[in-house]
Amino acid sequence: MIINPFNKNDIKLIIHSFRYLTFYKLKFVITFICMIIGIVFGLIQPIIWAKLLKSLFSKDFSQIVSLVIYISIIFIVSATTTLVQNYLIAFINNNIIYDIKKDMYASALNLSMKAFDEMNVGDFISRIHNDSATIANVLTNQILTSIVDILKVITIGIALLFISPLLSLVVILCFPISYLIFVHYGESLKEKNSQLVESNDKYFNELHQSLVGIREINSLNVKPKKIRLFSILSEDVRNKTISLGFINTLSQILAQSANVLSQILVTLIGAFMVINSNLSMVYFITFTSYSTQFSSSLLNITKINSNFQQILKSLERVFDLIDNLSYSKQKFGTKHLNNINGTICFKNVYFEYKKNSPILNDVSFNIPVHKVTAIVGTSGAGKSTILSLILKFYSPSKGCIELDDVNINDLDEQTLRSNISIVHQEPYLFNSSIKENLLIANPTATNKEIEDACSKAYIYDFIESLPEKYDTLIGENGVNLSGGQKQRLAIARALLKRSKIILFDEATASLDNQSQEYVNKSIKFISSHCTIVIVAHRLSSLMFADKIIIINKGKVVGQGPHDKLINENITYKNLYNIEAS
Ligand code: ADP
């Protein structure tokens, strides 16, 4: 079994990863110096011990005392350098993990929505959690120990040859046995490592989905099934981790056993040479100690390839995300608009999520400023897709969308994101206080501005009635609030952001009549200074809209106010009648 050599791409990836080391050059060099001091003392120690033994035989007590003093000094210096070295390795290692995670997170937030449609979240969590640690470990521990091992093999190799070329030959001849054992297990280790990465992806994905969908799991009564599935996935991770660890240890022990064979031969031949006065006792003791260090360092060098092979998959996964190799990034233009009016215009827009599955076909309409525009149609008609296109989560395949007569493709991220907000049916609220949830939209907002936004969103009285008012904790995803309260809080958040355009995606679909009335009051109130777009399939809640656009199978089949459409538009009439019946 032969370990694959690196191809050009692998080498590029490895070199690419070195950029994370460059921030810690000085610490890396200090760690390296500590390691070199460790090597030097590792080389001196056997000589001192051999001399100590010799002094014992010659009963030279003053020599013994000075050697013990040397041993003590070596111990103190070694302990200090080991402490510094271990601290710095941990420092560099954890900082690299932190740097990689930060870059991955920032890249993920800049990915296009299409990329999120394609990527599974567990895969992402596993990449950020496991792959970053694997890479950091190789970049710090492996690189440093590899350099140290190379230096050790060269220096100790020369010393061995100098002490006894014959014994050196014995050590060299025994080495291929350990090498072959290691190569035999190398491929298997690589394979097991890949399998573990895959199992981790599945495990994290299931964990994430279960926690996010905990309400569905309870209501669908699938808890036992989910627990079984989670057990299977975590057992899989556990078994693969144990198996990987076992093969790793087994290959090391077998390789070490081959070293023992070399030790036995060296001891037998060396002792024979000492007895026949062909080798001094000091050299004999020094050689046996050096040869062990030499063989284990030589073996470590042969592992460098495999260690890097093992991180290649992690490197691919990490840089795939950081450098957006397979996932598309959000693209924005450069044009910045300071004060927008808020008119939106769809001009012959075509769109498809997947090739040859058109969702919108030649859609054209205007959304007037300071008015409420409703987009209605049956489920799956393409209404929410229109909102996603306004937010530029996706881009039309043909045609264009204009904001204040400028193609939104030309606008910069700031213009789009600061001027457009969306309120979903289930607005996402963070597990913190009401105030913190509001301030996310505008961290510098004053208390007066917060209260003003809450009044306009018809949530002010409710907040004031709470014992802790704006400091009330609202629980994971707003579980302590009703659907209507969550929505009004989301409206207040959008107002605090000073968005000129507020989109509502089926926002009132699940509300009771009273909550819906509050939300509608708020919408009407804010439409005097904002452009409002509401997507809904319940027409009764939208009759107050200034303009209604009807979408059917991805096409606009009518637009105008309710009174006009109910008399003139057959699709609208049908939708209305279905709801009334
Ligand atoms: P509506 O809001 O009118 O109910 P949508 O705009 O949500 O409809 O969806 C229109 C069509 O696009 C549906 O057939 C839906 O399955 C499909 N669709 C929506 N989102 C995606 C997506 N992210 N990837 C692929 N298809 C999608």
Side-chain angles (χ1 to χ4, degrees), residues 356-411:
N356 302 325
S357 308
I359 302 292
L360 298 183
N361 280 306
D362 198 9
V363 166
S364 297
F365 56 77
N366 270 314
I367 293 175
V369 70
H370 298 176
K371 294 264 187 297
V372 177
T373 302
I375 300 175
V376 301
T378 50
S379 184
K383 306 179 296 291
S384 302
T385 302
I386 290 174
L387 297 190
S388 296
L389 291 177
I390 296 175
L391 286 157
K392 206 166 177 279
F393 287 163
Y394 302 91
S395 290
S397 38
K398 238 165 61 179
C400 81
I401 301 164
E402 289 178 352
L403 175 62
D404 283 6
D405 298 327
V406 182
N407 187 333
I408 61 168
N409 286 341
D410 299 333
L411 293 174

Coordinates of all heavy atoms in Angstrom, one line a residue, residues 356-411:
N356 N -34.3 25.3 -15.7 CA -35.5 24.8 -16.3 C -36.7 24.6 -15.5 O -37.6 23.8 -15.8 CB -35.1 23.5 -17.1 CG -34.0 23.7 -18.1 OD1 -33.9 24.7 -18.7 ND2 -33.2 22.7 -18.2
S357 N -36.7 25.2 -14.3 CA -38.0 25.2 -13.5 C -38.4 26.6 -13.2 O -38.1 27.2 -12.1 CB -37.7 24.5 -12.1 OG -37.2 23.3 -12.3
P358 N -38.9 27.3 -14.2 CA -39.2 28.8 -14.0 C -40.2 29.0 -12.9 O -41.2 28.3 -12.8 CB -39.8 29.2 -15.4 CG -40.1 27.9 -16.1 CD -39.3 26.8 -15.5
I359 N -39.9 30.0 -12.1 CA -40.8 30.4 -11.0 C -41.6 31.7 -11.4 O -42.8 31.8 -11.2 CB -40.0 30.5 -9.7 CG1 -39.3 29.3 -9.3 CG2 -41.0 31.0 -8.5 CD1 -40.2 28.1 -8.9
L360 N -40.8 32.7 -11.9 CA -41.4 33.9 -12.3 C -41.2 34.1 -13.8 O -40.1 33.8 -14.3 CB -40.8 35.1 -11.6 CG -41.0 35.2 -10.1 CD1 -40.4 36.5 -9.5 CD2 -42.5 35.1 -9.7
N361 N -42.3 34.4 -14.5 CA -42.2 34.6 -16.0 C -42.7 35.9 -16.4 O -43.8 36.3 -16.4 CB -43.2 33.6 -16.6 CG -42.7 32.2 -16.7 OD1 -41.6 32.0 -17.2 ND2 -43.4 31.3 -16.1
D362 N -41.7 36.7 -16.8 CA -42.0 38.1 -17.4 C -42.9 38.9 -16.5 O -44.0 39.3 -16.9 CB -42.6 37.9 -18.8 CG -42.6 39.2 -19.6 OD1 -41.9 40.1 -19.1 OD2 -43.2 39.2 -20.6
V363 N -42.4 39.1 -15.2 CA -43.2 39.8 -14.2 C -42.8 41.3 -14.3 O -41.7 41.6 -14.2 CB -43.0 39.2 -12.8 CG1 -43.5 40.1 -11.8 CG2 -43.6 37.8 -12.8
S364 N -43.9 42.1 -14.4 CA -43.6 43.6 -14.4 C -44.7 44.2 -13.5 O -45.9 43.9 -13.7 CB -43.7 44.2 -15.8 OG -42.7 43.6 -16.7
F365 N -44.2 45.1 -12.6 CA -45.2 45.9 -11.9 C -44.4 47.0 -11.1 O -43.2 47.0 -11.1 CB -46.0 45.1 -10.8 CG -45.1 44.3 -9.9 CD1 -44.5 44.9 -8.8 CD2 -44.9 42.9 -10.1 CE1 -43.7 44.2 -7.9 CE2 -44.2 42.2 -9.2 CZ -43.5 42.8 -8.1
N366 N -45.2 48.0 -10.6 CA -44.6 49.1 -9.9 C -45.1 49.0 -8.4 O -46.3 48.7 -8.2 CB -45.1 50.5 -10.4 CG -44.2 51.0 -11.5 OD1 -43.0 50.9 -11.3 ND2 -44.8 51.4 -12.6
I367 N -44.2 49.3 -7.5 CA -44.7 49.4 -6.1 C -44.5 50.9 -5.7 O -43.4 51.4 -5.6 CB -43.9 48.5 -5.2 CG1 -44.2 47.0 -5.6 CG2 -44.2 48.7 -3.7 CD1 -43.4 46.0 -4.8
P368 N -45.7 51.6 -5.5 CA -45.6 53.0 -5.2 C -45.1 53.3 -3.8 O -45.2 52.5 -2.9 CB -47.0 53.5 -5.4 CG -47.9 52.3 -5.2 CD -47.1 51.1 -5.5
V369 N -44.5 54.5 -3.7 CA -44.0 55.0 -2.4 C -45.1 55.4 -1.5 O -46.2 55.9 -1.9 CB -42.9 56.1 -2.7 CG1 -43.5 57.3 -3.2 CG2 -42.0 56.3 -1.5
H370 N -44.9 55.3 -0.2 CA -45.9 55.7 0.9 C -47.2 55.1 0.7 O -48.3 55.8 0.9 CB -45.9 57.2 1.0 CG -44.6 57.8 1.4 ND1 -44.4 59.2 1.5 CD2 -43.5 57.3 1.7 CE1 -43.2 59.4 1.8 NE2 -42.5 58.2 1.9
K371 N -47.3 53.9 0.2 CA -48.6 53.2 0.0 C -48.4 51.8 0.4 O -47.3 51.3 0.6 CB -48.9 53.2 -1.5 CG -49.2 54.5 -2.2 CD -50.7 54.8 -2.2 CE -51.1 56.0 -2.9 NZ -50.6 57.3 -2.5
V372 N -49.6 51.1 0.6 CA -49.5 49.7 1.0 C -49.8 48.9 -0.3 O -50.9 49.1 -0.9 CB -50.5 49.3 2.1 CG1 -50.5 47.8 2.4 CG2 -50.3 50.1 3.4
T373 N -48.9 48.0 -0.7 CA -49.1 47.2 -1.9 C -49.1 45.8 -1.4 O -48.3 45.3 -0.6 CB -47.9 47.4 -2.9 OG1 -47.9 48.7 -3.2 CG2 -48.1 46.5 -4.1
A374 N -50.2 45.1 -1.8 CA -50.3 43.7 -1.4 C -50.0 42.8 -2.6 O -50.4 43.1 -3.8 CB -51.7 43.4 -0.9
I375 N -49.3 41.7 -2.4 CA -49.1 40.7 -3.5 C -49.9 39.4 -3.1 O -49.6 38.9 -2.0 CB -47.6 40.4 -3.7 CG1 -46.9 41.7 -4.1 CG2 -47.4 39.4 -4.8 CD1 -45.4 41.6 -4.2
V376 N -50.9 39.0 -3.9 CA -51.7 37.9 -3.5 C -51.6 36.8 -4.6 O -51.2 37.1 -5.7 CB -53.2 38.3 -3.2 CG1 -53.2 39.4 -2.1 CG2 -53.8 38.8 -4.5
G377 N -52.1 35.7 -4.2 CA -52.1 34.5 -5.1 C -52.1 33.2 -4.3 O -51.9 33.3 -3.1
T378 N -52.3 32.1 -5.0 CA -52.4 30.9 -4.3 C -51.0 30.5 -3.8 O -50.0 31.0 -4.2 CB -52.9 29.7 -5.2 OG1 -52.1 29.8 -6.4 CG2 -54.4 29.9 -5.5
S379 N -51.0 29.5 -2.9 CA -49.7 29.1 -2.3 C -48.8 28.5 -3.4 O -49.3 27.8 -4.3 CB -50.0 28.0 -1.3 OG -48.9 27.6 -0.7
G380 N -47.6 28.9 -3.4 CA -46.6 28.4 -4.5 C -46.6 29.2 -5.7 O -45.9 28.9 -6.7
A381 N -47.4 30.3 -5.7 CA -47.5 31.2 -7.0 C -46.2 31.9 -7.3 O -45.9 32.3 -8.4 CB -48.7 32.1 -6.8
G382 N -45.4 32.2 -6.2 CA -44.2 32.9 -6.4 C -44.1 34.2 -5.6 O -43.3 35.1 -5.9
K383 N -45.0 34.4 -4.6 CA -45.1 35.7 -3.9 C -43.9 35.9 -3.1 O -43.3 37.0 -3.1 CB -46.4 35.7 -3.0 CG -47.7 35.4 -3.8 CD -48.9 35.4 -2.9 CE -48.9 34.4 -1.8 NZ -49.1 33.0 -2.3
S384 N -43.5 35.0 -2.2 CA -42.4 35.1 -1.4 C -41.1 35.3 -2.2 O -40.1 36.0 -1.8 CB -42.2 34.0 -0.4 OG -43.4 33.8 0.3
T385 N -41.1 34.6 -3.3 CA -39.9 34.7 -4.2 C -39.7 36.2 -4.6 O -38.6 36.7 -4.7 CB -40.1 33.8 -5.4 OG1 -40.3 32.5 -5.0 CG2 -38.9 33.9 -6.4
I386 N -40.8 36.9 -4.9 CA -40.7 38.3 -5.3 C -40.1 39.1 -4.1 O -39.2 39.9 -4.4 CB -42.2 38.9 -5.6 CG1 -42.6 38.2 -6.9 CG2 -42.2 40.4 -5.6 CD1 -44.0 38.6 -7.3
L387 N -40.4 38.8 -2.9 CA -39.8 39.5 -1.8 C -38.3 39.2 -1.7 O -37.5 40.1 -1.5 CB -40.5 39.2 -0.4 CG -41.9 39.5 -0.3 CD1 -42.4 39.3 1.2 CD2 -42.2 41.0 -0.6
S388 N -38.0 37.9 -1.9 CA -36.5 37.5 -1.9 C -35.7 38.3 -2.9 O -34.6 38.6 -2.8 CB -36.4 36.0 -2.1 OG -37.0 35.4 -1.0
L389 N -36.4 38.5 -4.1 CA -35.7 39.2 -5.2 C -35.5 40.7 -4.8 O -34.5 41.3 -5.1 CB -36.5 39.1 -6.5 CG -36.5 37.7 -7.1 CD1 -37.4 37.7 -8.4 CD2 -35.1 37.2 -7.5
I390 N -36.6 41.3 -4.2 CA -36.4 42.7 -3.7 C -35.3 42.8 -2.7 O -34.5 43.8 -2.8 CB -37.8 43.2 -3.1 CG1 -38.9 43.2 -4.1 CG2 -37.6 44.6 -2.5 CD1 -40.3 43.6 -3.6
L391 N -35.1 41.8 -1.9 CA -34.1 41.9 -0.9 C -32.7 41.5 -1.5 O -31.7 41.5 -0.8 CB -34.4 40.9 0.3 CG -35.5 41.3 1.2 CD1 -36.1 40.1 1.9 CD2 -34.9 42.3 2.3
K392 N -32.7 41.1 -2.7 CA -31.6 40.6 -3.5 C -30.9 39.4 -2.8 O -29.7 39.3 -2.8 CB -30.5 41.8 -3.6 CG -29.7 41.5 -4.9 CD -28.9 42.8 -5.2 CE -28.0 42.5 -6.4 NZ -26.8 41.9 -6.1
F393 N -31.8 38.5 -2.3 CA -31.3 37.3 -1.8 C -30.9 36.4 -3.0 O -30.1 35.5 -3.0 CB -32.3 36.6 -0.9 CG -32.5 37.2 0.5 CD1 -33.6 36.9 1.2 CD2 -31.5 38.0 1.0 CE1 -33.7 37.4 2.5 CE2 -31.6 38.6 2.2 CZ -32.7 38.3 3.0
Y394 N -31.7 36.6 -4.1 CA -31.5 36.0 -5.4 C -31.5 37.0 -6.4 O -32.0 38.1 -6.2 CB -32.6 34.9 -5.6 CG -32.7 33.9 -4.6 CD1 -33.6 34.0 -3.5 CD2 -31.9 32.7 -4.6 CE1 -33.7 33.1 -2.5 CE2 -32.0 31.7 -3.6 CZ -32.9 31.9 -2.6 OH -33.0 31.0 -1.6
S395 N -31.0 36.7 -7.6 CA -31.1 37.7 -8.7 C -31.9 37.1 -9.9 O -31.8 35.9 -10.1 CB -29.7 38.0 -9.2 OG -29.0 38.7 -8.2
P396 N -32.6 38.0 -10.6 CA -33.4 37.5 -11.7 C -32.5 36.9 -12.8 O -31.3 37.3 -13.0 CB -34.0 38.8 -12.3 CG -33.9 39.8 -11.3 CD -32.7 39.5 -10.4
S397 N -33.0 35.9 -13.5 CA -32.2 35.3 -14.6 C -32.3 36.2 -15.8 O -31.5 36.3 -16.7 CB -32.7 33.9 -14.9 OG -34.1 33.8 -14.8
K398 N -33.4 37.0 -15.9 CA -33.6 38.0 -17.0 C -34.4 39.1 -16.5 O -35.2 39.0 -15.5 CB -34.4 37.3 -18.1 CG -33.6 37.4 -19.5 CD -34.1 36.4 -20.5 CE -35.5 36.5 -21.1 NZ -35.9 35.7 -22.1
G399 N -34.3 40.3 -17.1 CA -35.1 41.5 -16.6 C -34.4 42.2 -15.5 O -33.3 41.8 -15.1
C400 N -35.0 43.2 -14.9 CA -34.3 43.9 -13.8 C -35.3 44.4 -12.8 O -36.5 44.6 -13.1 CB -33.4 45.0 -14.3 SG -34.1 46.5 -14.8
I401 N -34.8 44.7 -11.6 CA -35.6 45.2 -10.5 C -34.9 46.6 -10.2 O -33.7 46.6 -10.0 CB -35.6 44.3 -9.3 CG1 -36.1 42.9 -9.7 CG2 -36.4 44.9 -8.1 CD1 -35.8 41.9 -8.7
E402 N -35.8 47.6 -10.1 CA -35.2 48.9 -9.8 C -35.7 49.5 -8.5 O -36.9 49.3 -8.2 CB -35.6 49.9 -11.0 CG -34.8 49.6 -12.2 CD -35.2 50.5 -13.4 OE1 -36.2 51.3 -13.2 OE2 -34.6 50.4 -14.4
L403 N -34.8 50.2 -7.8 CA -35.2 50.9 -6.6 C -34.9 52.3 -6.9 O -33.7 52.7 -7.2 CB -34.3 50.4 -5.4 CG -34.4 51.1 -4.1 CD1 -35.8 50.9 -3.6 CD2 -33.4 50.5 -3.1
D404 N -35.9 53.2 -6.8 CA -35.8 54.6 -7.2 C -35.1 54.7 -8.6 O -34.1 55.5 -8.8 CB -34.9 55.4 -6.2 CG -35.8 55.7 -5.0 OD1 -36.9 55.2 -4.9 OD2 -35.2 56.4 -4.1
D405 N -35.5 53.9 -9.6 CA -35.0 54.0 -10.9 C -33.6 53.5 -11.1 O -33.0 53.7 -12.2 CB -35.1 55.4 -11.6 CG -36.6 55.8 -11.6 OD1 -37.4 54.9 -11.8 OD2 -36.9 57.0 -11.4
V406 N -33.0 52.9 -10.1 CA -31.6 52.3 -10.2 C -31.7 50.8 -10.1 O -32.4 50.3 -9.2 CB -30.7 52.9 -9.1 CG1 -29.3 52.3 -9.3 CG2 -30.7 54.4 -9.0
N407 N -31.1 50.1 -11.0 CA -31.0 48.7 -11.0 C -30.4 48.2 -9.7 O -29.3 48.7 -9.3 CB -30.2 48.2 -12.2 CG -30.2 46.7 -12.3 OD1 -30.5 45.9 -11.3 ND2 -30.1 46.2 -13.5
I408 N -31.1 47.4 -8.9 CA -30.6 47.0 -7.6 C -29.3 46.3 -7.7 O -28.5 46.2 -6.7 CB -31.6 46.2 -6.7 CG1 -32.0 44.9 -7.3 CG2 -32.8 47.0 -6.4 CD1 -32.7 44.0 -6.4
N409 N -28.9 45.7 -8.9 CA -27.6 45.1 -9.0 C -26.5 46.1 -8.9 O -25.4 45.8 -8.6 CB -27.5 44.4 -10.4 CG -28.3 43.1 -10.4 OD1 -28.6 42.6 -9.3 ND2 -28.6 42.6 -11.6
D410 N -26.8 47.4 -9.2 CA -25.8 48.4 -9.2 C -25.6 49.0 -7.8 O -24.7 49.8 -7.5 CB -26.1 49.6 -10.1 CG -26.1 49.1 -11.6 OD1 -25.5 48.1 -11.8 OD2 -26.9 49.7 -12.4
L411 N -26.6 48.7 -6.9 CA -26.5 49.4 -5.5 C -25.6 48.6 -4.6 O -25.4 47.4 -4.7 CB -28.0 49.4 -4.9 CG -28.9 50.3 -5.7 CD1 -30.3 50.1 -5.1 CD2 -28.5 51.8 -5.6

